[in-house]
Amino acid sequence: MRERLTGPCYWNILWLFLYFAGIGFFLIFTPKYNDDHWFLSEMGDWFLNRDVFYITDGVNPFEKGMPWQEIIETIHYHYACDNARIGNMVVMPFLIMPKWIGSSICCLAWIYAVLQCLALAKIDYKKSPLLPIAIGLWYFGVPWQNHMGGLVFQFNYLIPSAIGIYIVRKLNTWTAKKSRLQCLEIFLLSVILGAWHEGFALPIIAGIVMVMICYKQSRNRLYCIAFAGMLAGVSLIVLAPSFSVRTGQLNLYYMASLWDMVKRFGKITLYYHSLILVLIFLEIVLYRVRGSIVFRNNRLLLFITASAIASIFVSFATTGSERSGWWCDLIVPVGILISLREVGWPGKKYSLIGITVCVVIGCLSIFSLLLTDYYTVRNVRECRKVISECIKTNKFQVYNDWFVRFDAPLAWFTKIDRYLRGWQYLLPPCSHNKYGIINNTGYINIVPESLRDITVDSGTELVGE
């Protein structure tokens, strides 16, 4: 019993539990905000007629029903003017319900994606000393701060993470004995992934093409099926009217010169997806230590590198935001773990150096997550006060000791949403027409509580001019 409680299995399970619990708390308990409120902008009257003033609480659809007409109109608007991703359609009923329902599904999808990534890297999560490093990679490397507390974003990025990793695992374990039913499964999932989010499908397509070019055994039926399915899914997005609207809104200032394009690509890589540089460095080390035989026998490393670089190109060609390169940040840790395992560091068992490195990385990740959850609780409490006062005063200026990233301790690392203008759609339902509130900035102006009683005459006059 003592050996079980002090062995690597116990500690690894503890690391995983703390990581999933910390991420899950953030995903589930963060209120609806940002795009959540935008997607619900047509349903304010429906909520208010059911005495719902704080839409994070949602409604019980079996008691209150569902605003299907408003949902259809919202889906049609986004299909025509925003984007035609499946995720933006599927999320609509979950936005009506309490947030914890949809976020719990997304949390389970993320847990599945991480566990499948560990399996893809052939990491034994019960015993491997690489596990705390993996947790650090998927905590510090993934752009959680890019509004992942919102339900719309969770549906758009966490669910396709699970689907994408599932497809990659199936491709990596392909044998000639795959049945027609399994091929049909991969095709349907590939179409869904392509139509769910192009930022996942396009990089995977690039990885598939590169692997098929370099590895003869990959020129098989399953790879072709996955390629065709994702291409078909992405086509559904591209052919929708919203695609031309979105592309027309892109700022292509970086196309002015080759140097501007290089600067933009370098900035996106260094600022948002620098783990790709770590992977490339480790692959160089691996080549020097083991030679080319490692790459000849491991097509997965080539797929990971190619798809990750393609993901950065997707971000480069679109918005340039952190989350647009999400696939890169999800798959690169798998390549890093494979490279470390192949190099033989830190070994199959915990060593003194391995323990030191893992404890430092693991503790930093978990401690930062605990701070995240603390500030999530704090802002959740204040969020209700802000909405309540906004409705009560009919004003978009609210006095509240709101927490922003400038108040955060250094150990937080601002990895989870920084709450600075990230709450720009933190609004009461139907605030624009029901309450007659006019606000051109699109977000509530939150003023520190200490300034509530300050007036033009409340200062102290200084001597002189």
Side-chain angles (χ1 to χ4, degrees):
M1 176 63 72
R2 181 180 178 183
E3 186 175 332
R4 288 181 180 178
L5 294 177
T6 57
C9 180
Y10 170 81
W11 287 105
N12 278 12
I13 296 298
L14 181 61
W15 286 124
L16 272 179
F17 172 78
L18 291 174
Y19 171 71
F20 288 140
I23 290 292
F25 191 94
F26 162 72
L27 294 175
I28 294 171
F29 289 97
T30 302
K32 296 173 187 174
Y33 74 111
N34 208 297
D35 277 15
D36 299 342
H37 285 256
W38 177 33
F39 277 56
L40 292 175
S41 60
E42 297 298 321
M43 303 171 201
D45 287 331
W46 187 88
F47 276 110
L48 294 171
N49 291 335
R50 287 153 182 79
D51 299 322
V52 177
F53 294 89
Y54 187 63
I55 64 172
T56 299
D57 294 338
V59 300
N60 183 344
F62 298 104
E63 293 181 359
K64 306 291 186 179
M66 294 288 280
W68 292 115
Q69 183 62 36
E70 290 85 349
I71 288 175
I72 293 172
E73 290 176 358
T74 301
I75 290 174
H76 181 267
Y77 167 78
H78 286 279
Y79 179 81
C81 303
D82 180 32
N83 63 58
R85 295 174 187 160
I86 289 180
N88 288 339
M89 303 176 190
V90 174
V91 74
M92 289 306 304
F94 291 95
L95 284 171
I96 305 300
M97 295 182 277
K99 184 176 180 290
W100 68 266
I101 296 175
S103 290
S104 296
I105 296 172
C106 295
C107 181
L108 291 175
W110 180 248
I111 292 173
Y112 175 83
V114 169
L115 293 178
Q116 290 300 301
C117 280
L118 291 172
L120 192 62
K122 296 182 180 179
I123 300 298
D124 185 351
Y125 70 88
K126 294 182 180 179
K127 298 180 181 180
S128 175
L130 287 171
L131 181 71
I133 295 176
I135 287 174
L137 292 172
W138 279 303
Y139 175 63
F140 291 109
V142 176
W144 297 104
Q145 73 273 22
N146 208 187
H147 310 324
M148 285 303 139
L151 190 59
V152 170
F153 291 103
Q154 290 175 24
F155 264 74
N156 271 283
Y157 291 90
L158 301 188
I159 292 178
S161 294
I163 299 173
I165 292 299
Y166 179 84
I167 293 173
V168 172
R169 277 211 72 194
K170 288 291 185 180
L171 294 177
N172 194 55
T173 57
W174 183 87
T175 64
K177 296 181 180 179
K178 293 289 183 183
S179 67
R180 291 181 179 178
L181 186 61
Q182 290 172 313
C183 291
L184 178 62
E185 173 197 21
I186 292 299
F187 178 76
L188 293 177
L189 286 175
S190 297
V191 173
I192 291 172
L193 181 64
W196 199 288
H197 200 303
E198 71 286 355
F200 287 80
L202 291 176
I204 295 178
I205 288 174
I208 288 175
V209 170
M210 187 61 67
V211 168
M212 290 178 71
I213 291 173
C214 298
Y215 293 88
K216 184 177 180 180
Q217 64 269 32
S218 295
R219 299 166 200 164
N220 55 56
R221 180 175 54 184
L222 201 63
Y223 273 75
C224 294
I225 287 173
F227 174 87
M230 277 180 259
L231 199 60
V234 172
S235 298
L236 296 177
I237 296 176
V238 173
L239 295 175
S242 55
F243 183 77
S244 59
V245 175
R246 288 293 291 268
T247 52
Q249 295 172 345
L250 292 176
N251 186 350
L252 302 179
Y253 68 92
Y254 54 87
M255 299 296 290
S257 68
L258 178 62
W259 176 238
D260 287 331
M261 290 189 285
V262 171
K263 284 195 300 182
R264 176 178 170 85
F265 188 84
K267 178 183 177 181
I268 291 173
T269 303
L270 290 174
Y271 284 11
Y272 302 145
H273 312 293
S274 55
L275 281 182
I276 185 68
L277 303 179
V278 176
L279 173 60
I280 293 173
F281 171 77
L282 288 174
E283 288 177 338
I284 294 173
V285 172
L286 184 59
Y287 179 79
R288 295 292 299 272
V289 173
R290 300 285 301 280
S292 61
I293 189 172
V294 175
F295 297 95
R296 289 200 302 268
N297 297 334
N298 196 337
R299 59 187 173 185
L300 183 58
L301 271 179
L302 175 63
F303 170 85
I304 290 170
T305 307
S307 65
I309 294 174
S311 181
I312 296 176
F313 269 107
V314 169
S315 179
F316 167 86
T318 55
T319 61
S321 63
E322 301 102 311
R323 64 177 179 269
S324 56
W326 182 279
W327 174 258
C328 173
D329 299 325
L330 171 64
I331 200 65
V332 161
V334 177
I336 292 176
L337 294 173
I338 292 174
S339 300
L340 290 174
R341 192 196 72 226
E342 291 289 342
V343 170
W345 190 92
K348 296 182 179 180
K349 296 182 179 180
Y350 277 95
S351 62
L352 180 60
I353 296 178
I355 289 175
T356 303
V357 173
C358 291
V359 166
V360 170
I361 294 177
C363 286
L364 282 175
S365 304
I366 300 304
F367 183 63
S368 183
L369 265 173
L370 290 175
L371 285 175
T372 291
D373 292 340
Y374 166 75
Y375 289 116
T376 297
V377 171
R378 176 174 167 177
N379 269 21
V380 165
R381 183 182 65 245
E382 299 305 316
C383 177
R384 289 184 180 272
K385 295 180 182 179
V386 168
I387 294 294
S388 177
E389 186 169 347
C390 184
I391 294 175
K392 181 180 179 180
T393 61
N394 280 8
K395 295 180 180 178
F396 266 74
Q397 178 164 299
V398 174
Y399 291 95
N400 187 277
D401 288 330
W402 192 257
F403 171 78
V404 295
R405 65 187 176 101
F406 300 112
D407 301 324
L410 179 62
W412 191 33
F413 299 109
T414 62
K415 275 310 297 176
I416 305 294
D417 215 313
R418 292 165 292 198
Y419 307 132
L420 180 64
R421 291 196 60 147
W423 297 80
Q424 57 191 5
Y425 293 109
L426 178 64
L427 305 172
C430 210
S431 55
H432 295 291
N433 50 32
K434 185 71 176 181
Y435 298 101
I437 302 174
I438 304 300
N439 179 32
N440 295 326
T441 60
Y443 62 94
I444 298 174
N445 183 29
I446 302 177
V447 182
E449 186 68 40
S450 58
L451 300 179
R452 181 186 289 268
D453 298 324
I454 300 297
T455 66
V456 292
D457 299 320
S458 60
T460 303
E461 186 175 0
L462 300 178
V463 177
E465 298 179 2

